[in-house]
């Protein structure tokens, strides 16, 4: 299992468009991908879970991946979040 | 029968009943497997509809906007959704529609309780999905599919979000229980050029029944003989032939026999109307209702999103002039994310320019987008609901500030004419004083009539009183046109009156510069203008008429 902190950089937080990007990417890995924040846990392959976290800019989350391609999953998802999902 | 004709003609088709969304309530089922199957089938149907909507939005608006519907699809396919729905059916034996409503309503509540406004608005997304899914469980055939032929839509009323993703190509006519002459149904019928009646009250019609909608006479026939049906079919053929004949007027300019130029333009709501402008020979767009850019979404459109749409529209007009009316929201238009307070008198309330002058940043977003799009064509800007010169100058200053900002960012713009809608009586009365400051007027007869005669145009109980042929309204219109002539100010008209064959000769005789109307009325308007001489009709006699009905009778007898 790999775990690490990531900060949300998007100005409007994790709204519908970036959330769906995250879910798309997370779902492409075999490993489980979870987002933990303030005691709550969300499955990053579920857009409902992710949206319901209501993540805003500068929120810090713990990204957790577990499985055969966990390193790859962790690096890719972290990079995606830190790049701001291509939001201008 | 009760009801008003909002678009003439004859329609023959099968009734397609469109129901408003009503919560399902708690319904149990004996057949759990059946419910699970229904769930699967309806979910697939819903998914296909959403996929089509993604494509349509991508083509007509843009990628970013389409991605929001892709998120809807993801919600539908979410790996946690299916298990929770199946669990409820198996444990509680509720029907498919009850379960979907329960689970998605809970989700709506959850989103509503989140802190950020954006997340609260996701609740609206969930509501949309819920509505669509439940509809596909209960009435799977109520969405129009390509296999439908010749239908007449029948509903309590139609809202813009109802018709946004419908395939309207097989719709022959519209029949509504509620609504008035300026309802969405009326505007839709006129832009599609199909017969329509509104405010008919509850009618005893069955889904699938073949009916005749005679919107020339204002009746609906559900029991008729073979003979009657054939007679109507013949009449319908004739109507279609006449429409063909009008096409001769497509390329010509609006000009009277004695050489007076009257621009015949179109009222549009968005990109999808551009094709129709060209197809009907519109010389330009006299009113672009920009508020449609704000509707049917959960968040305000960004400057870039607006710029992208505005640019497409300006470019699509290929050099023809266009007048952008800045956002006119409040009253009848539903835009939840603006959180406009519920008002007892929305038409007299906090809307349109009044809202924009307070929410300057919001207003500037639109103005900047319009200014940026202006370099691609020939555009003017006008403000709605202006009641005082001070308001106009304030709004104009904001436009100037945006111009200055854009110039500092490297965008040097040519001069853009800035004008106003004349819809509040104070602006009509003081037109001559306004003329010192504005570049043009466009008379909005819908609201002008409403405010001048103190009649709620959506209230069927006083429907009769609402009439732009009222002598007082005619007097104001006449005054504004005359002021235009006197001060050299361009005067157009964009309210429903502009397309009225009985009103056109009067306006042309007084010297109006432009008439902007629904695209379906353009060819007929050109025919009238090109076949008349502009001999001025004196207003004095009309002012002595006791009411609008009397004036209408007089006009019927006149020869232009």
């Amino acid at each position: 299992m790999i775990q690490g902190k990531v900060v949300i950089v998007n100005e409007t937080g994790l709204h519908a468009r970036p959330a769906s990007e995250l879910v798309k990417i997370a779902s492409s890995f075999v490993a489980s991908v979870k987002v933990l924040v303030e005691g709550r846990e969300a499955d990053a392959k579920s857009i409902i879970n992710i949206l319901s976290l209501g993540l805003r800019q500068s929120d810090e989350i713990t990204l957790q991946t577990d499985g055969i391609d966990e390193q790859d999953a962790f690096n890719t998802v972290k990079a995606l979040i830190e790049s701001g999902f291509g939001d201008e | 029968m009760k009801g008003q004709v909002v678009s003439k003609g004859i329609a023959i088709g099968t009734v397609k009943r469109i129901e408003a969304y009503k919560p399902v309530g708690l319904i149990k089922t004996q057949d759990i497997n059946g419910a699970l199957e229904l769930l699967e089938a309806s979910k697939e149907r819903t998914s296909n509809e959403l996929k089509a909507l993604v494509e349509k939005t991508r083509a007509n608006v843009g990628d970013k906007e389409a991605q929001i519907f892709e998120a809807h699809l993801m919600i539908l396919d979410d790996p946690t959704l299916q298990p929770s729905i199946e669990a409820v059916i198996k444990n509680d034996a509720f029907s498919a529609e009850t379960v979907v409503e329960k689970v998605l309503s809970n989700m709506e509540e959850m989103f509503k309780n989140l802190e950020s406004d954006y997340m609260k608005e996701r609740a609206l997304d969930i509501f949309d999905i819920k509505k669509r899914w439940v509809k596909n469980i209960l009435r799977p055939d109520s969405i129009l599919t390509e296999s439908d032929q010749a239908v007449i839509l029948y509903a309590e009323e139609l809202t813009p979000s109802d018709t946004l993703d419908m395939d309207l190509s097989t719709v022959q006519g519209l029949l509504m229980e509620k609504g008035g002459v300026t309802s969405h149904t009326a505007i839709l019928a006129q832009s599609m050029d199909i017969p329509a009646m509104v405010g008919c009250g509850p009618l005893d019609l069955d889904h699938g029944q073949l009916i005749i909608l005679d919107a020339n006479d204002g009746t609906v026939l559900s029991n008729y003989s073979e003979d009657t049906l054939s007679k109507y079919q013949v009449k319908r053929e004739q109507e279609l032939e006449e429409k063909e004949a009008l096409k001769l007027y497509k390329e010509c300019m609006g000009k009277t026999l004695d050489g007076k130029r009257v621009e015949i333009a179109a009222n549009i709501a968005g990109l999808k109307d551009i094709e129709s402008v060209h197809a009907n020979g519109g010389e330009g767009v006299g009113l672009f209702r920009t508020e449609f850019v704000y509707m049917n979404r959960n968040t305000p459109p960004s400057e870039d999103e607006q710029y992208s749409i505005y640019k497409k529209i300006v470019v699509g007009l290929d050099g023809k002039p266009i007048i952008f009316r800045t956002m006119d929201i409040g009253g009848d238009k539903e835009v939840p994310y603006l959180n406009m307070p519920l008002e007892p008198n929305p038409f007299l309330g906090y809307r349109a320019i009044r809202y924009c002058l307070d929410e300057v940043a919001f207003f500037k977003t639109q103005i900047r987008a319009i200014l940026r799009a202006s370099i691609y064509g020939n555009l003017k800007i006008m403000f709605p609901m202006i009641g005082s010169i001070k308001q106009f100058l304030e709004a104009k200053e904001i436009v100037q500030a945006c111009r200055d900002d854009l110039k500092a960012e490297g965008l040097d713009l040519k001069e853009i004419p800035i004008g106003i809608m004349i819809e509040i009586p104070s602006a009509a009365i003081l037109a001559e004083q306004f003329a010192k400051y504005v570049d043009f007027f466009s008379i909005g007869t819908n609201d002008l009539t409403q405010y001048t005669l103190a009649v709620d145009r959506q209230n069927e109980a006083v429907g009769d009183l609402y009439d732009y042929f009222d002598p007082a309204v005619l007097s104001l219109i006449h005054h504004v046109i005359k002021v235009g002539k006197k001060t050299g100010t361009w005067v157009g008209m964009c309210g429903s009156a502009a397309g009225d064959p009985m009103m056109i000769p009067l306006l042309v005789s007084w010297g109006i510069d432009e008439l902007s109307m629904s695209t379906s009325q353009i060819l007929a308007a050109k025919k009238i203008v090109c076949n008349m001489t502009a001999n001025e009709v004196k207003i004095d006699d009309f002012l002595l008429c006791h009411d609008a009905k009397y004036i209408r009778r007089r006009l019927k007898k006149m020869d232009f």
Side-chain angles (χ1 to χ4, degrees), chain B residues 346-379:
Chain B
F347 283 107
L348 300 179
Y350 188 55
R351 61 185 287 235
I353 199 71
R354 300 164 177 186
Y355 178 84
C356 291
L357 290 176
D358 265 1
E359 302 289 340
V360 179
F362 173 84
F363 191 39
K364 277 191 175 179
T365 305
Q366 176 169 56
I367 298 293
R368 282 179 55 102
I370 297 174
L371 290 174
R372 284 167 64 192
S374 71
I375 59 177
Y376 296 100
N378 177 357
L379 80 73

Side-chain angles (χ1 to χ4, degrees), chain A:
Chain A
M1 201 230 317
I2 301 188
Q3 187 165 283
K5 294 205 190 290
V6 189
V7 175
I8 306 293
V9 298
N10 296 60
E11 206 181 296
T12 43
L14 225 63
H15 56 100
R17 201 187 60 81
S20 62
E21 288 286 318
L22 174 61
V23 171
K24 239 192 244 173
I25 297 291
S27 302
S28 68
F29 295 103
V30 170
S32 75
V33 183
K34 290 202 183 9
V35 169
L36 292 90
V37 65
E38 284 169 13
R40 289 179 295 160
E41 183 183 297
D43 178 356
K45 296 183 187 183
S46 158
I47 189 160
I48 292 170
N49 272 200
I50 291 296
L51 283 178
S52 68
L53 287 179
L55 293 169
R56 289 168 296 179
Q57 186 181 36
S58 66
D59 277 349
E60 188 185 72
I61 59 149
T62 300
L63 180 62
Q64 195 184 87
T65 58
D66 193 2
I68 231 163
D69 47 2
E70 60 191 30
Q71 187 65 65
D72 204 5
F74 185 87
N75 294 344
T76 311
V77 174
K78 179 166 189 220
L80 182 65
I81 296 174
E82 286 177 341
S83 74
F85 297 93
D87 252 3
E88 271 128 24

Side-chain angles (χ1 to χ4, degrees), chain B residues 268-536:
Chain B
I268 67 167
L271 197 56
K272 56 181 172 55
D273 297 326
I274 298 295
E275 213 183 282
S276 186
V277 174
H278 294 305
N280 287 284
E283 299 184 59
V285 167
L287 168 63
F288 169 28
R289 298 183 172 105
T290 61
E291 45 280 1
F292 278 84
V293 147
Y294 294 87
M295 289 169 63
N296 288 304
R297 21 180 323 139
N298 298 326
T299 49
S302 67
E303 182 187 315
D304 280 340
E305 282 176 79
Q306 290 189 52
Y307 163 63
S308 157
I309 296 170
Y310 298 156
K311 177 182 167 182
K312 281 189 189 147
I313 289 173
V314 173
V315 167
L317 280 173
D318 201 15
K320 289 181 179 174
I322 172 169
I323 302 181
F324 277 66
R325 179 181 70 186
T326 61
M327 175 276 232
D328 183 1
I329 291 175
D332 55 338
K333 297 180 182 114
E334 329 126 4
V335 184
Y337 57 80
L338 289 180
N339 295 315
M340 282 176 154
L342 221 56
E343 298 179 304
N345 288 309
F347 283 107
L348 300 179
Y350 188 55
R351 61 185 287 235
I353 199 71
R354 300 164 177 186
Y355 178 84
C356 291
L357 290 176
D358 265 1
E359 302 289 340
V360 179
F362 173 84
F363 191 39
K364 277 191 175 179
T365 305
Q366 176 169 56
I367 298 293
R368 282 179 55 102
I370 297 174
L371 290 174
R372 284 167 64 192
S374 71
I375 59 177
Y376 296 100
N378 177 357
L379 80 73
K380 302 185 180 69
I381 296 176
M382 72 177 168
F383 306 124
M385 257 212 136
I386 293 282
S388 69
I389 291 177
K390 173 131 201 286
Q391 259 181 348
F392 172 71
L393 293 174
E394 251 180 69
K396 190 170 172 185
E397 237 178 77
I398 293 175
V399 174
Q400 188 56 45
C402 290
R403 285 182 66 106
D404 294 338
D405 289 342
L406 286 169
K407 184 157 185 202
E409 294 163 30
L411 192 61
D412 216 344
L413 300 162
K414 58 181 191 272
E415 278 306 311
I416 293 165
I418 303 184
I420 64 170
M421 290 271 300
I422 300 243
E423 41 191 351
I424 297 187
S426 52
I429 293 165
L430 293 180
E432 192 162 347
Q433 288 70 19
F434 270 91
K436 292 193 181 67
Y437 303 100
V438 310
D439 292 324
F440 64 90
F441 295 123
S442 184
I443 306 175
T445 52
N446 298 3
D447 275 329
L448 183 64
T449 305
Q450 173 169 253
Y451 295 131
T452 303
L453 304 180
V455 176
D456 176 351
R457 58 181 159 138
Q458 291 181 322
N459 186 337
E460 291 135 34
V462 291
D464 269 1
L465 293 176
Y466 176 93
D467 193 339
Y468 42 67
F469 281 107
D470 183 283
V473 178
L474 286 183
S475 162
L476 286 178
I477 293 173
H478 176 266
H479 170 66
V480 172
I481 299 174
K482 288 304 166 193
V483 161
K485 290 270 148 294
K486 181 177 175 188
T487 60
T489 311
W490 189 95
V491 178
M493 179 180 286
C494 56
S496 316
D500 186 333
M502 216 160 47
M503 183 62 100
I504 293 173
L506 211 52
L507 298 168
V508 172
S509 85
W510 291 340
I512 201 151
D513 295 302
E514 174 245 50
L515 296 166
S516 191
M517 61 199 71
S518 166
T519 49
S520 62
Q521 300 170 306
I522 289 176
L523 291 168
K526 273 192 183 176
K527 184 177 176 189
I528 295 172
V529 170
C530 296
N531 290 299
M532 67 175 276
T533 40
N535 294 323
E536 176 158 354

